[in-house]
Amino acid sequence: MPDDPWQPPRILLAVDLVILTLRAARLHVLLVNRGIDPFRGAPALPGGFLADEHEDIEAAARRELAEEAGLSGVHLEPLGVYGEPGRDPRGRVVSVAHLAIAPRLPEPVAGTDAVHASWTPVDDILAPGAELAFDHRRIIVDGVERARAKLEHTALATAFCAESFTISELQQVYEAVWGVRLDPRNFYRKVQGARGFIVAVGPMRKPSNGRPARLFKAGPVHVLTPPMTRP
Amino acid sequence: MPDDPWQPPRILLAVDLVILTLRAARLHVLLVNRGIDPFRGAPALPGGFLADEHEDIEAAARRELAEEAGLSGVHLEPLGVYGEPGRDPRGRVVSVAHLAIAPRLPEPVAGTDAVHASWTPVDDILAPGAELAFDHRRIIVDGVERARAKLEHTALATAFCAESFTISELQQVYEAVWGVRLDPRNFYRKVQGARGFIVAVGPMRKPSNGRPARLFKAGPVHVLTPPMTRP
DNA sequence: AGAGGTTCCTGTCGAACTGACAAAAAGTTA
DNA sequence: TAACTTTTTGTCAGTTCGACAGGAACCTCT
């Protein structure tokens, strides 16, 4: 059996984006409505194929981030690979999922290309009965879990905030992502105790009511010592 | 400019394996000597292309694990994606790296196919001056760091041990992977305090000398509470 | 101006945890 | 039997953590 010189298979490579942000003290993820046929009309994660054979994977993720969400300069990190053979009816598609964190209050969509993007509370889209294209439900679950875990040991929470923020705003990030209530006094002590996590900038006044809060910005350290422990 | 209907590029998908184990109280990684031309003769991680278009990625990793290392039934988890455009001179190759943990004392190689596999101390191969094919140095660094981090919060350390083991054997795992010395008495207390981490089986005698140690096996819990803290 | 309300910030206190070290227990070797 | 090695059980002081009290600073309403 003189089989021809074996050639490895060629597959399609895509990137998908789990973009998280905070809106109204709830964790939201950016979803688009699919316009083309596999899962047409269903909500899906922003993403797409590599533009050409020489495009870097992270560059493709940043390109989709700008094209489909109008975002740039946000936190972006690889999340995982999703390549189960039957996940895409069009053929063998392997997707490299990325996790992006957007600061609060980015304009509702501001999409340049796909205007069909919208922020959706993760609780709603992960509730039983909600439908998502492909295996994007699993990808969102993994992305949220990654964010929850990294909030404990890294300064990722500052990526949810604007350049300067108050400690209670930072606390809202932890409460929304973890889905718990935290004691403001203990939170204050712990955040201040983690060296290099946040540094003071100046005082401000809160628009509503109450004592004005000090303003902070993200510090130089990305690994928290001691870590923030989840209840 | 009626450009033809755009077609996404097709790329080659590979799997690479970082297989870690303990030998003589040192952390080792399995390396093969490349027999074909890109980086011929240089040490490299075991791995290869997808067998066909329908092979699952994790299945490909397990296949390479058996073919190139003669291992089966060991811990295996995805590590990350390495797809930088210039990393393989043959073309656009995207590799899905996996991390595998082998119990101590698997027979030196026992390779069925590639007999050129050998265990190498990670300290040696990561020392400046050592040469590795492709970007495999970076992959090994990431794999070791993943193992170090997971030892803190999960029961991954038991994957380095045989089915039953003593507490001091478990301590050797932590010391080798973290590269530190630990107090046996505090380690004993901490391991016992993590509920569900290890469960007792029966007493044994140590071959050399000293008081016989109790035998344990891996418990049902994979998330350690409280975690093992790295000094 | 003062009362009341809200939020921010500083403390306090007991329980739990950690790292450093002592010492007994149970074997092997000389 | 003495010496040695390794495992196992404690002890103890310093630190951290969760729960809670209370003062400080601002707003709004009367």
Side-chain angles (χ1 to χ4, degrees):
Chain A
M1 199 150 60
D3 59 335
D4 302 322
W6 177 80
Q7 288 280 79
R10 294 181 171 268
I11 56 99
L12 296 171
L13 196 72
V15 293
D16 282 320
L17 293 169
V18 180
I19 314 174
L20 301 179
T21 197
L22 233 65
R23 289 170 67 83
R26 293 183 70 188
L27 187 64
H28 286 62
V29 63
L30 190 72
L31 297 179
V32 298
N33 262 319
R34 281 188 63 84
I36 55 175
D37 202 8
F39 297 94
R40 180 201 290 260
L45 292 174
F49 292 108
L50 244 50
D52 59 80
E53 205 190 62
H54 303 95
E55 189 181 36
D56 183 68
I57 297 177
E58 183 177 326
R62 294 214 172 268
R63 174 176 54 76
E64 296 288 345
L65 199 53
E67 284 179 7
E68 302 215 44
L71 291 173
S72 63
V74 303
H75 174 91
L76 179 68
E77 64 177 87
L79 177 60
V81 192
Y82 298 84
E84 198 186 350
R87 68 185 289 272
D88 193 320
R90 288 169 294 184
R92 187 64 194 274
V93 177
V94 171
S95 175
V96 181
H98 287 73
L99 175 66
I101 308 293
R104 58 176 57 199
L105 296 181
E107 290 312 306
V109 174
T112 64
D113 214 357
V115 202
H116 318 290
S118 58
W119 294 110
T120 309
V122 295
D123 302 339
D124 297 356
I125 201 63
L126 292 183
E131 292 184 5
L132 275 164
F134 307 108
D135 50 1
H136 288 185
R137 182 183 214 281
R138 157 56 56 105
I139 299 178
I140 294 175
V141 168
D142 292 349
V144 171
E145 181 49 41
R146 168 76 67 91
R148 284 181 176 148
K150 289 197 76 171
L151 246 54
E152 291 191 83
H153 310 285
T154 75
L156 183 67
T158 58
F160 282 93
C161 300
E163 190 179 357
S164 63
F165 50 86
T166 68
I167 290 188
S168 71
E169 285 172 347
L170 195 63
Q171 180 180 343
Q172 285 183 19
V173 173
Y174 278 88
E175 291 184 333
V177 177
W178 284 350
V180 298
R181 301 286 298 175
L182 300 174
D183 186 294
R185 302 161 290 193
N186 293 334
F187 184 82
Y188 195 94
R189 171 166 35 101
K190 263 193 152 178
V191 168
Q192 293 281 48
R195 288 157 308 198
F197 186 9
I198 55 175
V199 296
V201 221
M204 99 185 261
R205 67 179 46 185
K206 288 287 295 177
S208 51
N209 45 8
R211 172 175 175 173
R214 282 199 283 173
L215 275 183
F216 296 86
K217 63 182 177 69
V221 175
H222 284 75
V223 179
L224 300 185
T225 52
M228 308 285 295
T229 47
R230 180 161 33 164
Chain B
M1 201 150 55
D3 58 334
D4 303 324
W6 176 78
Q7 288 280 74
R10 295 180 171 269
I11 57 99
L12 297 171
L13 196 73
V15 293
D16 282 318
L17 292 169
V18 180
I19 314 173
L20 301 179
T21 198
L22 234 65
R23 290 171 66 81
R26 294 183 71 189
L27 186 64
H28 286 62
V29 61
L30 189 74
L31 297 179
V32 299
N33 262 320
R34 281 189 64 82
I36 56 176
D37 201 10
F39 297 93
R40 180 201 290 260
L45 292 174
F49 291 108
L50 244 52
D52 60 80
E53 205 190 60
H54 302 96
E55 187 180 38
D56 184 69
I57 297 177
E58 181 176 327
R62 293 214 174 268
R63 175 176 53 76
E64 295 289 345
L65 201 52
E67 286 180 7
E68 302 216 45
L71 291 173
S72 63
V74 303
H75 174 91
L76 180 68
E77 65 177 88
L79 177 60
V81 194
Y82 299 84
E84 199 187 350
R87 68 185 288 273
D88 193 318
R90 288 167 296 183
R92 186 65 193 272
V93 177
V94 171
S95 176
V96 181
H98 287 73
L99 176 65
I101 308 293
R104 57 177 57 199
L105 296 180
E107 291 311 307
V109 175
T112 63
D113 212 359
V115 204
H116 319 291
S118 58
W119 293 110
T120 309
V122 294
D123 302 340
D124 296 356
I125 203 62
L126 291 183
E131 292 183 6
L132 275 164
F134 307 109
D135 49 3
H136 289 184
R137 180 182 216 279
R138 157 59 55 106
I139 299 179
I140 294 175
V141 168
D142 292 349
V144 171
E145 181 49 40
R146 168 77 64 92
R148 284 181 176 149
K150 290 198 76 170
L151 245 54
E152 291 191 81
H153 310 284
T154 75
L156 183 67
T158 58
F160 282 94
C161 300
E163 191 178 358
S164 63
F165 50 87
T166 68
I167 291 189
S168 71
E169 285 171 348
L170 195 64
Q171 179 180 344
Q172 285 182 17
V173 174
Y174 278 87
E175 292 184 332
V177 177
W178 283 351
V180 297
R181 301 286 298 175
L182 301 174
D183 186 295
R185 302 161 288 192
N186 292 335
F187 183 83
Y188 194 95
R189 171 164 40 98
K190 263 194 151 176
V191 168
Q192 294 281 48
R195 287 157 309 200
F197 187 8
I198 54 175
V199 295
V201 230
M204 100 182 262
R205 67 177 45 185
K206 286 288 296 176
S208 49
N209 45 6
R211 174 174 174 172
R214 282 198 286 173
L215 274 183
F216 296 85
K217 63 181 176 68
V221 175
H222 282 77
V223 180
L224 300 185
T225 53
M228 309 286 294
T229 48
R230 175 159 41 157

